[in-house]
Amino acid sequence: MINMSEIESLKSENQTLRNYISLVLAEIELIQRVSEIKQNFVNSSDSERIITPILERISKIKSEKLSLEEKIHLHNLDY
């Protein structure tokens, strides 16, 4: 039988996984957006101005993902 502390632990892990998935999806979307901007603004200084904050956000997402990976031990998986 599962006790309350195990249930709370599972809830916490579930929420962490949901947060991780959200970050992965956000990262994919932003990377696609950067690619689209680069295609639409070829050789334009505007593209760098637009892309820079997006790249900064992608960097923050990667850092947040790494933190969650360590928390839920995703970095130890061997494939």
Side-chain angles (χ1 to χ4, degrees):
M1 180 163 206
I2 298 178
N3 63 37
M4 290 305 281
S5 65
E6 288 174 317
I7 291 172
E8 291 304 315
S9 177
L10 288 171
K11 284 182 181 179
S12 175
E13 186 174 304
N14 185 317
Q15 186 60 48
T16 301
L17 285 169
R18 287 174 183 261
N19 292 344
Y20 182 79
I21 291 167
S22 294
L23 289 172
V24 169
L25 294 174
E27 181 182 18
I28 290 168
E29 183 178 331
L30 290 174
I31 289 170
Q32 289 173 340
R33 188 145 312 147
V34 166
S35 177
E36 291 169 2
I37 291 169
K38 285 182 176 180
Q39 289 174 2
N40 292 328
F41 292 91
V42 177
N43 297 326
S44 169
S45 61
D46 288 339
S47 72
E48 288 305 312
R49 182 181 53 77
I50 296 168
I51 289 173
T52 300
I54 298 172
L55 293 176
E56 290 170 359
R57 180 62 185 133
I58 290 170
S59 179
K60 288 179 185 176
I61 288 172
K62 287 182 179 190
S63 176
E64 292 174 43
K65 277 179 35 193
L66 182 59
S67 175
L68 291 178
E69 287 170 4
E70 291 171 357
K71 183 176 180 180
I72 54 180
H73 310 290
L74 288 178
H75 62 285
N76 290 339
L77 296 178
D78 292 322
Y79 295 100

